[in-house]
Amino acid sequence: MFHRGRMIYLNYLIALFLMIAFAKIFGLIASKIHIPEVVGQIFGGIILGPSFLGLIHRQDVVVSLAGLGAVLLMFVAGLTCDVDRLKKYFGPGLIVAFMGVIFPVASIYFVCRYLQVSLIESAFIGIVFAATSVSISVAVLEEMNELKSSAGTTILAAAVADDIISIVLLSVAIPLLGIGRGHGNSDALLLIVLQVIFFVFLWLCYKVVTLLIDILDLSPQKIGLYSFLLCLFLSGTAEMVKLSAVTGAFFAGLIFSQTEFQKPLTSRLKGMGGLLAVPIFFVSIGVEMQVTGILKNGWLFVILTLLAVVTKFVGAFIGARISRIDKFNSAEIGAGMISRGEVGIVIAQAGLASHFISTSYYSTLIAVIVMTTIIAPLILKPVVLLKRKYKN
């Protein structure tokens, strides 16, 4: 442990111990008081982070590797997903994603302009809250055995479409706004072409994997290693074309879900992710929260939090109803799309690096993103219970 200025930096093994311990302790407390475990784990991160104890920081090596937890979580989600059901619900998912992007972007832009935030910052703040971080919802739905339901499958389909729409919106907005450094010369059309190539490459990966499994005599141990390597490769490739890593991980899971190794892979990876990587990921989201982000712009924090939650829920709910999904499943889909999590943080960081948003607004945006991540499971769990009570 050593000091740098007023910050305390721990040995990475001690930091790892604290993150896992706080995740388990606060997750257990959350389950005892009948709220989703992920909420407790995020609160554990808030307490460990700069807002309270100041023991863990964004710059720590362990926190930078926390994204592996989200990757594993979405890889398992892809493994357990029924591809035929995903195809069936992709149409509704696309409508849900589109409506879930339009509502928050437009609403937040106009409210920010009313509050006399500059035009460029208003536009970028709206884009920050376009994307959904479905990793949080997946954890809650899996905890409640709801991931394979029609609503759960629609949320997964919508999340993939939502990611693409948000990144295309971001890639178009940056050159149009045109004042940033580093991203100002981005070629939106080239990026879209690269994303199309990425999805073609996914199809080729599926063909190659199924062919190799048929030809080679692979044990579950070997296929576990190879599947994890493909997961990392596709996650990294997705990030290279400006999609989120979890999108690549989800499709890697889908590829192996259609093989004979689906069940052993799922049990192995659930154990590895649940023990280590996934709890660290949820704690790392809490570490991002800083009280200064709330104190600097208190009213903006409250207004953006309300808008981020309500507009995403309403937009996704309307999209689901347009797709003729019943009101209870539509409410579940709306609640499942609320969280912004790591996707919103990545977009906000891009905005800060490109000078589209100031440092004073950036800390507030991070605080709002973390708050939506806490609120989403608190809404989703009661909605699922209400749906079950109604159907029973």
Side-chain angles (χ1 to χ4, degrees):
M1 180 173 74
F2 64 94
H3 297 260
R4 186 185 295 165
R6 292 185 178 180
M7 287 188 177
I8 299 172
Y9 285 84
L10 300 174
N11 174 291
Y12 76 96
L13 292 173
I14 300 297
L16 187 64
F17 161 74
L18 286 173
M19 292 179 79
I20 296 172
F22 271 62
K24 294 301 181 183
I25 292 167
F26 282 87
L28 181 62
I29 292 170
S31 63
K32 291 292 183 183
I33 58 176
H34 305 292
I35 62 175
E37 282 188 31
V38 296
V39 176
Q41 292 171 348
I42 292 169
F43 269 110
I46 293 173
I47 291 169
L48 278 174
S51 295
F52 289 93
L53 299 179
L55 296 175
I56 308 292
H57 307 277
R58 287 184 61 241
Q59 298 88 348
D60 290 350
V61 174
V62 177
V63 175
S64 65
L65 293 175
L68 182 62
V71 165
L72 275 175
L73 187 64
M74 292 307 295
F75 185 41
V76 173
L79 272 172
T80 56
C81 187
D82 186 325
V83 175
D84 292 329
R85 283 176 68 83
L86 187 65
K87 290 177 183 175
K88 177 183 176 182
Y89 288 104
F90 190 76
L94 192 60
I95 297 170
V96 166
F98 181 75
M99 297 299 288
V101 167
I102 293 297
F103 270 68
V105 171
S107 302
I108 290 172
Y109 169 78
F110 285 115
V111 169
C112 285
R113 291 297 291 142
Y114 177 77
L115 295 173
Q116 298 185 331
V117 178
S118 72
L119 187 147
I120 288 173
E121 285 185 308
S122 297
F124 208 90
I125 289 170
I127 293 169
V128 166
F129 293 103
T132 292
S133 175
V134 77
S135 311
I136 312 298
S137 299
V138 164
V140 177
L141 292 170
E142 191 171 23
E143 184 183 327
M144 303 187 73
N145 296 314
E146 193 72 15
L147 192 57
K148 294 182 182 180
S149 67
S150 58
T153 308
T154 305
I155 290 169
L156 287 173
V160 174
D162 182 282
D163 189 26
I164 296 167
I165 293 169
S166 300
I167 297 302
V168 169
L169 187 64
L170 177 66
S171 63
V172 170
I174 285 177
L176 286 178
L177 295 175
I179 64 162
R181 287 188 299 198
H183 296 275
N185 296 323
S186 296
D187 188 336
L189 183 59
L190 175 62
L191 192 57
I192 293 168
V193 170
L194 287 173
Q195 290 172 357
V196 171
I197 292 171
F198 171 73
F199 284 103
V200 173
F201 180 66
L202 286 176
W203 179 80
L204 290 173
C205 283
Y206 163 68
K207 292 295 183 183
V208 170
V209 166
T210 51
L211 181 64
L212 289 175
I213 287 174
D214 288 338
I215 294 173
L216 303 174
D217 183 22
L218 296 172
S219 64
Q221 289 81 7
K222 286 184 179 179
I223 202 70
L225 173 62
Y226 297 148
S227 67
F228 184 59
L229 288 174
L230 182 65
C231 172
L232 292 177
F233 177 69
L234 292 181
S235 298
T237 308
E239 283 201 331
M240 287 173 67
V241 297
K242 304 303 180 185
L243 293 170
S244 64
V246 295
T247 298
F250 177 71
F251 279 102
L254 278 183
I255 289 171
F256 284 96
S257 72
Q258 299 173 77
T259 69
E260 62 188 277
F261 296 102
Q262 185 259 342
K263 286 186 178 179
L265 276 176
T266 303
S267 60
R268 283 170 180 271
L269 289 167
K270 271 187 178 179
M272 183 171 68
L275 177 66
L276 184 65
V278 175
I280 291 174
F281 164 64
F282 291 129
V283 169
S284 73
I285 291 176
V287 170
E288 294 281 351
M289 169 75 89
Q290 294 193 32
V291 175
T292 53
I294 301 172
L295 298 178
K296 278 183 182 177
N297 302 292
W299 279 111
L300 185 64
F301 168 77
V302 172
I303 291 166
L304 285 180
T305 301
L306 288 172
L307 281 173
V309 171
V310 172
T311 56
K312 197 69 170 182
F313 179 89
V314 171
F317 179 87
I318 291 172
R321 294 296 284 155
I322 290 171
S323 304
R324 299 182 180 179
I325 297 172
D326 68 80
K327 61 184 180 181
F328 286 98
N329 277 310
S330 295
E332 182 179 338
I333 292 165
M337 297 294 288
I338 289 171
S339 173
R340 301 318 197 274
E342 80 285 354
V343 180
I345 291 170
V346 167
I347 295 176
Q349 287 170 346
L352 182 67
S354 300
H355 305 282
F356 292 130
I357 51 175
S358 63
T359 51
S360 62
Y361 284 137
Y362 172 77
S363 58
T364 304
L365 292 183
I366 296 300
V368 174
I369 289 166
V370 175
M371 190 56 64
T372 63
T373 307
I374 293 169
I375 291 171
L378 295 176
I379 296 174
L380 180 57
K381 187 171 182 177
V383 167
V384 172
L385 293 174
L386 183 65
K387 183 186 81 168
R388 288 178 180 174
K389 182 178 178 182
Y390 171 78
K391 292 196 171 182
N392 288 336

